[in-house]
Amino acid sequence: IYLKYTVYCRETTEGLPMLISTLETLFILGVVADALVSALLVLEGRKLHTIPRVLRDTRTHHALATTALILTGAAVGIVEALVRLGGFPKIDWMLFYVHLPFAVTWVVTLVLMRFVFTGEKNPRVHRKLAYVFMGATPVAAITGLMLFCGY
């Protein structure tokens, strides 16, 4: 998948193949890291749920949430740079419109859980948003990579 996309980009964008290839590599590594951080974030949240409130140390959970937000922002920035540089093949708009609601849901729930409905202030709402986050994550990641790779 990656090689097919890279070859297509190198053939269609003269003068920028090295930059586009580097951005593609950074994006794929960022998406993999973001998926791992998201999984760790959920596991850490489940672990915190079992500990009595007075004994909880949420620093790791908050650090993972902040890292997930930073990686997501970086991924969006890289995609924007690639689009502006002309590094994308034709976009499958049907797949894009499947991806978009899940990706927006994923980002909005992450921001809400991190800054508005924290597990300390609103644990029930935070937990419900976490379930939405867990449902949106695989669909957004799979369709996003399919879009990125040109399928």
Side-chain angles (χ1 to χ4, degrees):
I1 295 171
Y2 174 71
L3 292 175
K4 174 186 169 191
Y5 182 72
T6 304
V7 169
Y8 182 86
C9 286
R10 287 187 180 149
E11 291 172 357
T12 58
T13 54
E14 296 175 15
L16 298 172
M18 184 65 172
L19 179 60
I20 289 175
S21 179
T22 303
L23 287 174
E24 289 170 356
T25 304
L26 287 174
F27 177 78
I28 289 176
L29 290 174
V31 167
V32 169
D34 203 5
L36 291 173
V37 167
S38 296
L40 289 173
L41 180 63
V42 169
L43 292 173
E44 180 71 19
R46 294 299 299 161
K47 183 183 85 174
L48 285 174
H49 179 64
T50 62
I51 299 171
R53 201 172 273 210
V54 292
L55 300 175
R56 291 181 189 169
D57 183 13
T58 59
R59 288 179 293 183
T60 303
H61 188 69
H62 290 176
L64 288 170
T66 303
T67 303
L69 278 171
I70 290 169
L71 288 172
T72 302
V76 169
I78 288 172
V79 167
E80 182 68 23
L82 282 170
V83 167
R84 302 242 181 224
L85 293 172
F88 273 107
K90 291 193 291 184
I91 293 176
D92 180 3
W93 290 104
M94 186 138 182
L95 184 60
F96 176 76
Y97 287 120
V98 169
H99 170 73
L100 193 61
F102 289 100
V104 169
T105 302
W106 188 86
V107 171
V108 167
T109 56
L110 187 59
V111 169
L112 286 175
M113 286 188 302
R114 179 64 180 100
F115 298 111
V116 180
F117 300 107
T118 64
E120 295 164 354
K121 294 177 188 172
N122 301 310
R124 288 185 180 160
V125 177
H126 187 83
R127 197 173 312 121
K128 288 177 183 175
L129 285 172
Y131 291 135
V132 172
F133 174 80
M134 289 186 323
T137 299
V139 179
I142 291 168
T143 56
L145 285 174
M146 288 172 67
L147 274 171
F148 186 76
C149 296
Y151 284 100

